Amino acid sequence: VSLDAAGRILRINRTAADWLGLDPACRSLFGDFVDPRSRFEDDLRRLKRTGQARSLEYDLLCAKGRLPVVMDAIAVTDAAGNFVSGRATIFDATQRRRVEEMRARIAALVESSDDAILGVSLDGRIQNWNPGAERMYGIRAEHAIGRHVSFMAPRGACDDWPATLERLHRNERFHHFEILRARPDGTTVEVSRS
């Protein structure tokens, strides 16, 4: 899509015209097709001032309903550096939005779970530690993240993490089993791991 200084459509390709239900010869204001809660007018002013705008997220008001999009734009200027038009590339962000929503739901489940849920890298470093893990082990996330998981093995007990990590490297499935883990106060807790 190419827009003039007022945000009026100068040129639009067939894909974008079909999304919006427009004739490609249409010269409407592009902002009329953007959700009013967006900052399109502010973004257009910034484009004129800075010459570019990246990763702008909008909901377009299309012929078939709302379409989430991401837009990158650059300014076209005359020899004196005055803004003449803006050229924008618009990407359908429907799948990206679905993935983000799914991740948000999963994150909410992990955060609200009473179970300890850990994210561990293939080298055994803790990357994620939910509130359930804080309650179960008595260790705050900031004191667990970045440490090797073997710190949770009770003193004198066999550390099962090397074998576990080796199985992860081989993409083997895990079966549910019981194991002891140590708390900072020296007590142990029996946990089910899967």
Side-chain angles (χ1 to χ4, degrees):
V1 177
S2 293
L3 306 176
D4 67 13
R8 192 169 303 283
I9 297 170
L10 296 172
R11 284 179 295 287
I12 187 168
N13 73 358
R14 170 66 23 201
T15 300
D18 288 348
W19 284 348
L20 300 175
L22 297 176
D23 183 303
C26 175
R27 297 297 173 252
S28 299
L29 288 170
F30 185 76
D32 290 347
F33 300 97
V34 178
D35 185 301
R37 294 171 292 181
S38 73
R39 300 174 316 280
F40 176 74
E41 297 301 326
D42 294 339
D43 292 337
L44 181 59
R45 283 191 286 278
R46 186 172 40 138
L47 173 64
K48 292 177 194 176
R49 191 176 65 253
T50 66
Q52 67 177 355
R54 301 268 182 232
S55 301
L56 304 174
E57 295 186 29
Y58 302 121
D59 280 343
L60 292 184
L61 307 175
C62 297
K64 297 177 183 176
R66 290 179 180 272
L67 176 68
V69 298
V70 175
M71 185 168 79
D72 292 332
I74 58 168
V76 177
T77 57
D78 62 18
N82 298 312
F83 182 90
V84 175
S85 64
R87 290 188 185 154
T89 304
I90 303 169
F91 304 93
D92 181 342
T94 304
Q95 187 61 28
R96 179 173 135 177
R97 174 96 37 102
R98 283 186 190 132
V99 168
E100 288 170 354
E101 289 169 354
M102 182 181 66
R103 284 183 179 158
R105 284 193 302 274
I106 291 170
L109 287 170
V110 168
E111 285 299 305
S112 65
S113 176
D114 288 330
D115 293 326
I117 301 174
L118 312 162
V120 179
S121 66
L122 288 177
D123 67 353
R125 300 277 168 201
I126 297 172
Q127 297 178 322
N128 303 94
W129 185 268
N130 77 332
E134 288 186 356
R135 287 186 296 275
M136 184 177 292
Y137 297 115
I139 301 169
R140 297 189 46 80
E142 59 265 22
H143 300 295
I145 293 174
R147 293 178 73 180
H148 194 275
V149 291
S150 60
F151 87 93
M152 295 172 10
R155 284 208 176 144
C158 178
D159 181 4
D160 67 316
W161 279 106
T164 300
L165 293 171
E166 183 59 36
R167 289 179 70 188
L168 285 172
H169 280 284
R170 292 192 308 260
N171 288 324
E172 289 181 21
R173 292 194 62 153
F174 283 88
H175 298 287
H176 179 81
F177 60 95
E178 307 287 323
I179 193 160
L180 284 178
R181 288 292 170 237
R183 292 185 175 131
D185 64 5
T187 61
T188 58
V189 60
E190 187 174 4
V191 297
S192 297
R193 193 166 80 187
S194 52

